[in-house]
Amino acid sequence: MSAYVLVAEDDEKQAELIRRYLVHDGHAVTVVHDGPTALTEATQQPPDLLVLDWMLPGLDGLEICRRIRNTGDLPILMLTARYTEDDLLLGLDLGADDYMTKPYRPRELMARIRTLLRRTRQQTHTEAVLLKAGPLTVAPDGHAVYLHGRQVNCTPGEFRLLSTLAAAPERVFTRAQLLHCITDHGRTVTERTVDMHIANLRKKIEASPRRPELLLTVHGIGYKLSRGRRDV
């Protein structure tokens, strides 16, 4: 499963180590060492995957991630020396698909990369299906969400969570079940990640986020996607 991977890492030794492992796995690789160059490469010649260091000179990884998410769904794996839960949530909120904290084991990094590439290609080859719940439509194959026919921009994590809920409207999902659908095995994250995604989605699809009609909390259990009172 070869792919074109862009590596944005200012530590030249780390970048070279990542490059060697990727080449060994059969991938084509471009390495850059600063933020502006990373953004230019990612937008002018989009790779299949971006390995993005948080702390890049000129333009940090979070800003690069935010700008890329405004225009597309390029898979992004964030590398960071930051390890607090708030840092993780910030990265996910801005659209990173996965993250690894430094120092990391190169073999684990390669495993994460293979998982992201496999997931992306599975989504690309998924049969066209539209998931509907009231005024909300989710198109898994196109990675698109529509509310009353107007497209809603979602981060990859928000989209995976919403797709899971939309596949079974009115079914109650526990936080643990939803966490499983948006993360990979081996990552140490908490159910607060789910709550963050729900809060952000409510801002995007609810007329009144504090009085939701679609994304409902089922106290003591989790969440469900209701068909709402605004069915069309």
Side-chain angles (χ1 to χ4, degrees):
M1 183 175 62
S2 62
Y4 170 46
V5 181
L6 174 62
V7 177
E9 167 62 79
D10 65 331
D11 185 319
E12 295 188 11
K13 290 184 179 179
Q14 286 293 318
E16 176 60 16
L17 180 63
I18 296 170
R19 188 195 68 81
R20 289 182 181 181
Y21 270 84
L22 285 168
V23 170
H24 184 267
D25 266 12
H27 303 302
V29 186
T30 294
V31 175
V32 298
H33 302 296
D34 65 84
T37 304
L39 183 61
T40 298
E41 288 289 333
T43 52
Q44 293 186 355
Q45 188 177 357
D48 297 303
L49 175 74
L50 171 60
V51 179
L52 179 64
D53 185 30
W54 183 312
M55 300 300 292
L56 287 173
L59 195 66
D60 68 34
L62 289 181
E63 179 60 19
I64 293 171
C65 190
R66 186 188 66 79
R67 295 190 189 185
I68 288 175
R69 281 292 168 258
N70 286 336
T71 59
D73 300 319
L74 169 65
I76 299 174
L77 190 156
M78 186 83 75
L79 303 178
T80 176
R82 300 171 180 263
Y83 55 85
T84 69
E85 185 181 26
D86 286 340
D87 290 330
L88 161 63
L89 295 177
L90 178 59
L92 294 175
D93 190 29
L94 289 176
D97 295 272
D98 199 356
Y99 82 103
M100 289 199 70
T101 55
K102 299 179 180 182
Y104 53 81
R105 295 188 296 273
R107 288 184 179 180
E108 183 181 355
L109 175 62
M110 293 304 109
R112 297 283 185 86
I113 289 173
R114 286 191 291 269
T115 297
L116 276 179
L117 289 172
R118 184 165 56 249
R119 176 192 297 159
T120 301
R121 292 181 180 187
Q122 286 173 346
Q123 291 174 347
T124 300
H125 292 93
T126 298
E127 182 181 356
V129 175
L130 293 180
L131 307 175
K132 297 186 177 182
L136 194 69
T137 300
V138 179
D141 60 317
H143 203 280
V145 176
Y146 301 91
L147 182 68
H148 294 296
R150 296 183 178 181
Q151 188 163 359
V152 177
N153 292 324
C154 295
T155 68
E158 291 167 1
F159 182 81
R160 290 196 295 271
L161 187 150
L162 193 56
S163 295
T164 298
L165 291 168
E170 304 297 344
R171 173 185 167 183
V172 180
F173 288 83
T174 66
R175 285 179 174 82
Q177 288 172 326
L178 294 173
L179 186 64
H180 179 77
C181 85
I182 62 175
T183 59
D184 298 315
H185 295 292
R187 290 179 53 176
T188 304
V189 294
T190 72
E191 293 174 2
R192 183 183 170 196
T193 306
V194 173
D195 297 334
M196 179 202 70
H197 284 321
I198 291 290
N200 287 337
L201 282 168
R202 282 175 172 163
K203 294 176 184 177
K204 297 176 180 182
I205 69 173
E206 298 284 2
S208 176
R210 293 188 177 184
R211 295 189 295 275
E213 297 179 2
L214 294 172
L215 273 177
L216 304 182
T217 300
V218 181
H219 295 289
I221 304 178
Y223 299 99
K224 72 175 182 178
L225 183 63
S226 172
R227 292 184 174 85
R229 294 180 293 173
R230 297 176 289 166
D231 285 39
V232 294

